[in-house]
Amino acid sequence: MVSALGNGVKGGRWYGLMDKVYAPATLSAAWRKVRAKGGAAGVDGQSIERFAARAEEYLCELGADLRTGSYRAQPIRRVEIPKGDGQTRPLGISTVKDRIAQAAVKLVIEPIFEAMFLPGSYGFRPGRGCRDALREVDGLIREGYAFAVDADLRSYFDSIAHERLMERVATRISDGRVLDLLRAWLGQDIFDGLERWTPMQGTPQGAVISPLLANLYLHPLDERLAGRGYRMVRYADDFVVLCRSQEEAVAALAEVRDWVEANGLALHPDKTHLGDCRQPGQGFEFLGYRFEAGRRWVRKKSLDRLKDKVRRHGARTGTAWRG
């Protein structure tokens, strides 16, 4: 698929993808991935074990539903999971069938977007992980990029604008049936106890497809900063912009703030700062490490936050922490 795209797919877009989604080989591969990750049952009460007992039959049914257009996503069951600071964070649990369908779509469309993602993005991408991002940060600091813009997006996954996101998907995908699936997953009803509602924005935290869509939403920010010569290292919604001078860092923060506000997001006022990490007290934390005055070490609070992120999005990362 990537080779075909590079060799000149018409208009740089993919028009016929749905047949690849419901292909038996794709659904079988998606089921293996979902089964390996495990997880709780969704609103239908069907567990991984129950699905596995009749997997061949259920996969045939799912394939037929996707092929005929009769597939309908079920609501998401919301639960609260503990955070490192003693508080809780909402996690959405889709049904096993919906997780398999999302994994199948991801298998098909991920190579298309991977071909355009920039090197500075490391989170939830094939063959990339925390250690790669940390090495990049460490290398840039050693090269003299010591002035850091440490930015934190407030409630990022809950703030993504659906229409803007779908516009970005549509720059590469023109298969209406695939686009309809993605819209349906973005608009899945949420059950929380006895309450039920339809989200107007955001991607479900815990959904198989969410990390890919979240990376796609921030891709224009990657392009904007790279096009202006800034060195940004991003892991999903955690990112740092490293500069050679304070003036450059101030300008970089202004660029970030301008893009964030224009795209319906917000920087956390208490967790976004600028400083020279060679000076005591001006360092920053990134993926469980603190970079300050030439020292790098793990802080448990940051480590717990990173582990929480991995649990929420159900994705494999490199082991970037020690002890």
Side-chain angles (χ1 to χ4, degrees), residues 183-245:
R183 287 192 184 94
W185 289 326
L186 290 174
Q188 281 176 280
D189 281 1
I190 296 175
F191 272 122
D192 188 354
L194 298 177
E195 297 183 26
R196 175 172 178 165
W197 72 92
T198 302
M200 296 294 103
Q201 61 183 21
T203 61
Q205 296 194 41
V208 173
I209 201 69
S210 287
L212 174 60
L213 297 179
N215 272 331
L216 178 61
Y217 197 80
L218 288 178
H219 175 65
L221 175 61
D222 298 345
E223 291 185 310
R224 176 169 179 161
L225 293 182
R228 288 161 172 73
Y230 295 114
R231 306 297 296 271
M232 180 171 75
V233 181
R234 182 171 66 80
Y235 191 96
D237 58 326
D238 292 340
F239 61 91
V240 58
V241 185
L242 294 163
C243 306
R244 289 190 179 274
S245 68

Side-chain angles (χ1 to χ4, degrees), residues 130-279:
C130 300
R131 286 180 294 183
D132 304 308
L134 290 165
R135 290 191 190 103
E136 178 73 8
V137 170
D138 186 59
L140 287 171
I141 292 174
R142 292 176 185 275
E143 292 175 21
Y145 293 85
F147 291 86
V149 177
D150 179 22
D152 185 279
L153 294 173
R154 175 187 285 170
S155 301
Y156 170 60
F157 285 86
D158 295 328
S159 303
I160 294 174
H162 289 174
E163 285 308 311
R164 285 194 182 101
L165 173 59
M166 291 307 303
E167 287 172 2
R168 284 159 202 180
V169 174
T171 63
R172 289 292 183 272
I173 295 175
S174 294
D175 188 319
R177 296 177 66 186
V178 172
L179 295 176
D180 287 344
L181 279 177
L182 294 174
R183 287 192 184 94
W185 289 326
L186 290 174
Q188 281 176 280
D189 281 1
I190 296 175
F191 272 122
D192 188 354
L194 298 177
E195 297 183 26
R196 175 172 178 165
W197 72 92
T198 302
M200 296 294 103
Q201 61 183 21
T203 61
Q205 296 194 41
V208 173
I209 201 69
S210 287
L212 174 60
L213 297 179
N215 272 331
L216 178 61
Y217 197 80
L218 288 178
H219 175 65
L221 175 61
D222 298 345
E223 291 185 310
R224 176 169 179 161
L225 293 182
R228 288 161 172 73
Y230 295 114
R231 306 297 296 271
M232 180 171 75
V233 181
R234 182 171 66 80
Y235 191 96
D237 58 326
D238 292 340
F239 61 91
V240 58
V241 185
L242 294 163
C243 306
R244 289 190 179 274
S245 68
Q246 182 172 350
E247 292 74 19
E248 184 181 352
V250 170
L253 178 56
E255 290 282 355
V256 170
R257 194 181 303 279
D258 180 65
W259 186 91
V260 164
E261 292 176 354
N263 284 270
L265 304 174
L267 291 175
H268 198 297
D270 299 326
K271 297 180 180 180
T272 300
H273 75 279
L274 182 156
D276 181 353
C277 66
R278 296 169 299 186
Q279 305 300 320

